[in-house]
Amino acid sequence: MVAIVFATLAVIVVLIGGVGTVVPGLPGAVLVFAGLVGLAWLDNFARVGFGTLALLTVITTACYGVEFGATALGAKYAGASRAAIVGVIIGTLVGLVFGIVGLLIGPFVGAVAGEFVSRRDLTQSARAGAGAWLGFVLGTAVKLALVLSMVGITAATFLLR
């Protein structure tokens, strides 16, 4: 009975982490990782061993690299200056304070502000902001794919052993 309750909680943590992968502000990948480790623990790590856990750790870490890098790379691809990249980072951090809406517009506003301060060109500033926003969206898609791969790897390990 205790195992069923714990397994249910682990699955709920994985689901919340999945939502957190798409909705900014929740530590999505870490919650998915924690839930999957909880499921492996229930099995005394008989099926999900050190190698699988190491791979899940690498994928979890990659999710955060993608999260911070994709928005900045999107802005850079759009020809943004270094000031716009700094603006993206500041905009993202400030956006955290305002929840989902802030995280959706913060990188755009930060890139536009940084680019405008640097070059005083509104058209280029808007282009840098659009690149930052596109990078954010693509980064979210990559994070979702990585998190789904974590779940798939764990499920396959349970099913194939």
Side-chain angles (χ1 to χ4, degrees), residues 71-106:
T71 305
L73 288 175
K76 191 68 176 168
Y77 181 75
S81 65
R82 177 169 276 162
I85 303 301
V86 171
V88 165
I89 295 167
I90 292 170
T92 302
L93 293 174
V94 170
L96 284 170
V97 175
F98 299 102
I100 294 170
V101 173
L103 283 170
L104 289 174
I105 64 171

Side-chain angles (χ1 to χ4, degrees), residues 18-40:
V19 171
T21 302
V22 179
V23 176
L26 289 175
V30 170
L31 289 173
V32 170
F33 178 78
L36 296 176
V37 169
L39 290 171

Side-chain angles (χ1 to χ4, degrees), residues 130-159:
W133 187 81
L134 184 60
F136 174 79
V137 170
L138 292 175
T140 299
V142 170
K143 285 189 320 179
L144 183 60
L146 289 171
V147 164
L148 290 174
S149 74
M150 291 170 61
V151 172
I153 289 166
T154 304
T157 304
F158 269 101
L159 294 173

Side-chain angles (χ1 to χ4, degrees), residues 42-123:
L42 277 173
D43 190 42
N44 289 323
F45 300 98
R47 295 182 195 143
V48 178
F50 175 76
T52 303
L53 290 174
L55 178 59
L56 295 178
T57 302
V58 169
I59 295 171
T60 301
T61 304
C63 285
Y64 286 96
V66 166
E67 185 169 6
F68 289 109
T71 305
L73 288 175
K76 191 68 176 168
Y77 181 75
S81 65
R82 177 169 276 162
I85 303 301
V86 171
V88 165
I89 295 167
I90 292 170
T92 302
L93 293 174
V94 170
L96 284 170
V97 175
F98 299 102
I100 294 170
V101 173
L103 283 170
L104 289 174
I105 64 171
F108 175 79
V109 171
V112 169
E115 189 70 17
F116 190 75
V117 166
S118 175
R119 296 189 185 171
R120 303 277 183 207
D121 179 358
L122 192 54
T123 303

